[in-house]
């Protein structure tokens, strides 16, 4: 079955990425996406999830324009799915998309647009998982990193402290 094979390939891509074999990981991820698009259509939640994985790989390979295009395609799918696309799994996929967009834009120096994406991620994480969740702490940390790069040190320091407080409590 295509979906089962796609899952195997996605897991293989994660392992290859962890080993630093980015080209091979990218190949496995692309094939997983192809299989999901055949099985579920190009606008499925699983396609968005795989696009996020590919965006992460391309970002790691420093192919920022390609990474951004992949993450934007994931967001377009999520927007198309609309309100029925909710719950914990949907929130995790949306968070990954927003965090990828924010990170890529930060890397490119587009701090204002990165801030919008990362603020949306923080709002989503706090609403879905709680202010004192690991997800919200990670989103605060991502915002703090942006503010550090942007020279907004006091705002960043405040967010770092909030994130650290939550992580220690957890």
């Amino acid at each position: 079955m295509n979906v089962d094979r796609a899952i195997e390939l996605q897991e293989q891509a994660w392992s290859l990425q962890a080993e630093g074999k980015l080209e091979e990981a990218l190949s496995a991820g692309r094939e997983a996406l192809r299989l999901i698009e055949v099985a579920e259509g190009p606008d499925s939640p699983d396609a968005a999830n795989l696009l996020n994985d590919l965006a992460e790989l391309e970002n790691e390979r420093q192919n920022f324009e390609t990474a951004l295009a992949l993450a934007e395609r994931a967001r377009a799918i999520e927007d198309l799915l609309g309100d029925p696309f909710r719950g914990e799994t949907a929130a995790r996929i949306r968070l990954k998309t927003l965090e990828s967009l924010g990170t890529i834009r930060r890397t490119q120096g587009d701090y204002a647009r990165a801030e919008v994406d990362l603020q949306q991620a923080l709002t989503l994480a706090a609403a879905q998982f709680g202010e004192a969740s690991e997800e919200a702490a990670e989103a605060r940390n991502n915002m703090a990193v942006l503010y550090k790069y942007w020279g907004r040190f006091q705002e960043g320091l405040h967010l770092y402290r909030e994130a650290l407080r939550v992580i220690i409590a957890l």
Side-chain angles (χ1 to χ4, degrees):
M1 175 178 258
N2 281 346
V3 173
D4 291 336
R5 179 65 181 139
I7 292 168
E8 288 174 16
L9 286 166
Q10 183 180 32
E11 291 172 354
Q12 180 182 11
W14 293 336
S15 294
L16 290 165
Q17 182 180 12
E19 295 172 20
K21 298 176 180 177
L22 301 182
E23 290 294 328
E24 293 174 56
L26 197 57
S27 179
R30 285 181 183 145
E31 180 61 12
L33 177 62
R34 188 191 70 74
L35 291 172
I36 285 297
E37 288 176 335
V38 167
E40 299 178 358
D43 298 326
S44 73
D46 289 329
N49 190 39
L50 284 163
L51 286 163
N52 283 330
D53 287 351
L54 291 170
E56 183 179 306
L57 282 164
E58 290 291 12
N59 188 48
E60 200 170 326
R61 294 176 67 229
Q62 298 185 8
N63 292 332
F64 304 120
E65 291 302 321
T66 302
L68 188 60
L70 290 163
E72 285 176 340
R73 184 171 161 216
R75 181 174 18 208
I77 291 170
E78 295 158 15
D79 291 347
L80 181 68
L81 293 171
D83 283 341
F85 184 56
R86 57 183 145 185
E88 184 177 327
T89 300
R92 290 189 188 287
I93 293 171
R94 286 184 197 276
L95 274 174
K96 190 169 182 182
T97 302
L98 290 166
E99 290 172 351
S100 288
L101 287 166
T103 298
I104 295 162
R105 288 189 169 118
R106 185 204 74 223
T107 302
Q108 293 181 311
D110 188 355
Y111 298 148
R113 288 182 70 192
E115 182 180 35
V116 170
D117 295 325
L118 295 175
Q119 184 58 57
Q120 287 176 359
L122 177 53
T123 300
L124 174 61
Q128 181 70 36
F129 302 103
E131 289 286 342
S133 66
E134 183 177 342
E135 294 81 1
E138 182 177 342
R140 282 187 188 91
N141 188 72
N142 290 334
M143 285 285 293
V145 170
L146 169 65
Y147 288 154
K148 177 183 75 173
Y149 277 84
W150 203 346
R152 293 167 61 178
F153 301 116
Q154 284 307 111
E155 291 167 281
L157 184 58
H158 173 74
L159 288 167
Y160 278 134
R161 286 182 175 145
E162 284 184 36
L164 181 60
R165 179 185 49 79
V166 169
I167 295 300
I168 289 170
L170 291 172

